[in-house]
Amino acid sequence: MASMGEFELLARIRERLPAAGERLRLGSGDDAAIAVPGGATATSVDAVVEGVHFTREHAELSQIGHKALATALSDLAAMGAEPGEAYVFLGVPADLDEDGCLELLDGLLALATETGTAVAGGDLARAAALTVVTTVVGHGPGPESFVTRAGGRPDDVLAVTGSLGAAAAGLALLEAPELGVQLSASTKGALCARQLEPMPRLAAGRALGSAGATAMIDLSDGLGGDLGHMAAASGCGAVVEAASLPLADGLEAVARAADRDPLELAVAGGEDYELLAALPAERFGDAKATLARLDVTLTRIGELTAGEGVEVRRPAGGRLEATGFDQLG
Amino acid sequence: MASMGEFELLARIRERLPAAGERLRLGSGDDAAIAVPGGATATSVDAVVEGVHFTREHAELSQIGHKALATALSDLAAMGAEPGEAYVFLGVPADLDEDGCLELLDGLLALATETGTAVAGGDLARAAALTVVTTVVGHGPGPESFVTRAGGRPDDVLAVTGSLGAAAAGLALLEAPELGVQLSASTKGALCARQLEPMPRLAAGRALGSAGATAMIDLSDGLGGDLGHMAAASGCGAVVEAASLPLADGLEAVARAADRDPLELAVAGGEDYELLAALPAERFGDAKATLARLDVTLTRIGELTAGEGVEVRRPAGGRLEATGFDQLG
């Protein structure tokens, strides 16, 4: 690595990046990338840091690259935006060589290709811990076409895509492979994949926006915390029936083996990157049918209220702590 | 710090950020910021990492914040773009408390206000070393309104704004305050300020674009390296007369005391964040007069050629090594 030059690595990186596209008029390699956005843009930044968000013990380099872009694109999904450009900073520790950097980048680029995202620029520096900071730009016809967290109204139905708790269960399996979990290899593999290679719900997000979602957020910190953000931004309270939560296949078996509460993993586990949407009650059926055509389930889990705060009701009575993941806590 | 919550710090940060502006329709606090760009955008990412780009021993936290944004905006200056939005990732080491984060941010925000840049979003994570990654979006009426590195032609005049070597001299003074440099306190202070708080040449960049610059780049890695990038992108060679370089006030005294070659500091030192432009010879006079009205000098230092490679000719004959700063070398 000592002999590796930044410029040589940059040249190998640039070979892999698109020179231009429909919106992107000039890609990586100049002082800035040039784009012609058209309508309105939604822009978000997301960082993953070794030791905080992943370890190289559990995640392959290509998976780290995938997840770095996936977590950023998930924010665009939650806006109902069409993915456009991504800009990537890579902080390279001394023990990651040039081929390792490219392996990480190739994982990121595979997801970029799959989602129609153009990696248009970035930066590179030495870092104490492997760090990937991804800025993504999404597009829509106008500023009102995006769904924020703030438009929810009392009595709106709360609905989540897919299933909850998979990423937390996957993490538990990765961290303690000696757990005697009675599950098929394919179910275990699916749970680990949800932790290591989450897929942003981009098509579902756009469909929910078109179906009349009044507010939307992606579940990165956990349902409890993220619902709190949406309810507060919308000036509402929220009630969720824990019995209605769509638990991931295998979550209960992992929770049993790890002596954890499956509902708690589903509510506070985080990193599922599913979408939580608020919808007028009369729009829920159409939204569910639209998502079914995308092969995505949509489950009604509660509603916004005229009150304050978030209540997650246990099936047998009582409440779950509705907290999320705190990056600096 | 152990008791500090991410959400509390985010709330204190968001109080300081603009909610919206002319282009920015929704600032920090949702899944993504919403903007209506209008014409075309120029987007760039720049990172500063403790131990690589700065030390807290020499730079105050507010200066680190200033420099993080300044280096990113300098790329927009080199495109002739109008600054628009900035997105900031802050990697927070364990020994930086909440007030320290805000001090850094306030330095960044002061420059944002001064330059008309809206800090529209970002992210925050634990990091081993203090890291600031800044993505900036600049604007122009259309994609052709930006000046790339690639439009230079043989016989175009090469010109630089301001003066060279100041940042390298400032760094030498900061790193070895015991150097017996015969300079006034104000000259020393000005050199250190060029290292710690560079000002992006935004107005000069737009003026050079309007004045017919065919190619432009900001001097971050040093004139030698950056001229090489521009010449290569333009498919040209370049010749520079070292005797014509506008050396910063005090550079020669610092170089003498440090037993360094002042020309080498000016050519290879880097971090001056001046602009290097290529212009048709007949446009140089007008461009110089236009920049004079902005109180910025423009100095003719050489020309692009039909050849290959960059030659920096010493006054007494011979050539300077035209290399720049390699981030990973």
Side-chain angles (χ1 to χ4, degrees):
Chain A
M1 182 81 176
S3 70
M4 186 189 81
E6 177 201 10
F7 299 126
E8 190 190 328
L9 176 56
L10 281 177
R12 288 184 65 189
I13 289 174
R14 285 194 188 121
E15 280 170 16
R16 291 164 150 79
L17 304 186
E22 196 190 319
R23 271 197 209 91
L24 181 67
R25 300 298 169 88
L26 177 68
S28 176
D30 214 291
D31 289 303
I34 298 176
V36 181
T41 58
T43 305
S44 184
V45 183
D46 227 87
V48 295
V49 178
E50 182 163 27
V52 181
H53 303 95
F54 65 85
T55 65
R56 276 187 269 173
E57 183 191 348
H58 296 141
E60 291 173 20
L61 288 164
S62 63
Q63 292 173 321
I64 295 165
H66 172 109
K67 190 167 174 176
L69 180 59
T71 60
L73 288 176
S74 182
D75 286 318
L76 297 188
M79 301 297 285
E82 185 197 335
E85 297 77 49
Y87 301 86
V88 180
F89 165 74
L90 191 60
V92 184
D95 67 344
L96 186 68
D97 66 10
E98 188 169 338
D99 287 337
C101 292
L102 293 171
E103 197 183 323
L104 186 152
L105 189 72
D106 284 342
L108 190 153
L109 286 170
L111 180 62
T113 302
E114 196 174 339
T115 56
T117 306
V119 178
D123 196 10
L124 198 63
R126 272 267 166 261
L130 179 54
T131 303
V132 192
V133 181
T134 312
T135 305
V136 287
V137 181
H139 300 271
E144 296 77 19
S145 64
F146 299 124
V147 184
T148 70
R149 301 175 178 180
R153 287 164 298 211
D155 301 327
D156 277 356
V157 161
L158 291 170
V160 290
T161 60
S163 63
L164 301 178
L171 184 62
L173 286 169
L174 288 165
E175 290 186 337
E178 76 285 1
L179 279 181
V181 182
Q182 301 297 316
L183 283 176
S184 69
S186 76
T187 303
K188 282 186 186 174
L191 291 172
C192 293
R194 285 285 299 274
Q195 166 61 224
L196 295 172
E197 297 186 78
M199 278 304 293
R201 292 287 196 188
L202 287 160
R206 290 199 295 278
L208 283 164
S210 303
T214 54
M216 208 148 53
I217 190 169
D218 69 316
L219 298 180
S220 53
D221 295 340
L223 174 66
D226 289 321
L227 175 54
H229 297 318
M230 180 203 275
S234 293
C236 295
V239 174
V240 165
E241 300 295 341
S244 66
L245 296 178
L247 302 188
D249 279 351
L251 170 61
E252 301 202 67
V254 173
R256 203 160 40 238
D259 202 19
R260 304 277 295 272
D261 176 352
L263 285 178
E264 200 193 296
L265 285 176
V267 170
E271 297 200 282
D272 280 323
Y273 298 102
E274 296 289 0
L275 298 179
L276 169 67
L279 293 146
E282 68 274 16
R283 307 293 297 265
F284 175 74
D286 280 354
K288 188 180 167 81
T290 304
L291 262 64
R293 287 194 287 277
L294 299 170
D295 254 336
V296 178
T297 58
L298 185 70
T299 306
R300 180 176 177 151
I301 61 166
E303 48 270 322
L304 292 177
T305 67
E308 267 187 26
V310 171
E311 193 178 332
V312 183
R313 294 182 181 148
R314 283 188 179 278
R319 294 165 54 163
L320 272 159
E321 263 315 308
T323 52
F325 176 62
D326 189 330
Q327 309 263 9
L328 296 181
Chain B
M1 184 77 177
S3 69
M4 187 190 79
E6 178 201 9
F7 299 125
E8 190 192 327
L9 176 57
L10 281 177
R12 289 184 65 188
I13 289 175
R14 283 194 188 118
E15 280 168 16
R16 290 165 151 78
L17 304 185
E22 195 189 319
R23 275 197 204 90
L24 180 68
R25 299 300 170 88
L26 178 68
S28 176
D30 214 292
D31 289 303
I34 299 176
V36 181
T41 58
T43 305
S44 183
V45 183
D46 227 89
V48 294
V49 178
E50 182 164 23
V52 180
H53 303 96
F54 65 87
T55 65
R56 277 186 269 172
E57 184 192 344
H58 295 143
E60 290 173 20
L61 288 164
S62 63
Q63 293 173 322
I64 296 164
H66 172 108
K67 189 166 175 176
L69 180 60
T71 59
L73 289 175
S74 181
D75 285 319
L76 298 189
M79 301 297 284
E82 184 197 335
E85 297 76 50
Y87 301 87
V88 180
F89 164 74
L90 190 61
V92 184
D95 67 345
L96 185 68
D97 65 10
E98 188 168 335
D99 287 336
C101 293
L102 294 171
E103 197 182 322
L104 186 151
L105 189 72
D106 284 341
L108 191 152
L109 286 170
L111 180 62
T113 301
E114 195 174 341
T115 56
T117 307
V119 178
D123 196 9
L124 198 62
R126 272 267 167 263
L130 178 55
T131 304
V132 192
V133 181
T134 311
T135 305
V136 287
V137 182
H139 300 271
E144 296 78 18
S145 63
F146 299 124
V147 183
T148 71
R149 301 175 180 182
R153 288 164 299 210
D155 300 325
D156 278 354
V157 161
L158 291 169
V160 290
T161 59
S163 64
L164 300 178
L171 186 62
L173 286 171
L174 287 165
E175 289 185 340
E178 75 284 1
L179 278 181
V181 182
Q182 301 299 317
L183 282 176
S184 69
S186 76
T187 303
K188 282 185 186 175
L191 291 171
C192 293
R194 286 284 300 273
Q195 167 61 224
L196 296 171
E197 297 186 77
M199 279 303 295
R201 293 285 195 189
L202 288 159
R206 290 198 296 279
L208 283 164
S210 303
T214 55
M216 207 150 51
I217 191 169
D218 70 315
L219 299 180
S220 52
D221 295 341
L223 174 67
D226 290 321
L227 174 54
H229 297 318
M230 180 204 273
S234 294
C236 295
V239 175
V240 166
E241 300 295 340
S244 66
L245 296 178
L247 301 189
D249 280 350
L251 170 61
E252 300 202 68
V254 174
R256 202 161 39 235
D259 201 19
R260 306 276 296 273
D261 176 352
L263 284 178
E264 199 193 297
L265 286 175
V267 169
E271 297 200 281
D272 279 324
Y273 297 104
E274 296 289 359
L275 297 178
L276 169 67
L279 291 146
E282 69 274 17
R283 307 294 295 266
F284 174 73
D286 279 354
K288 186 180 168 81
T290 304
L291 262 65
R293 286 193 287 278
L294 298 171
D295 254 336
V296 178
T297 58
L298 186 70
T299 305
R300 181 175 177 152
I301 61 166
E303 47 268 322
L304 291 177
T305 67
E308 264 185 29
V310 171
E311 193 179 332
V312 182
R313 294 183 181 149
R314 282 188 180 277
R319 294 166 53 165
L320 271 160
E321 263 313 309
T323 53
F325 177 63
D326 189 331
Q327 309 264 7
L328 295 180

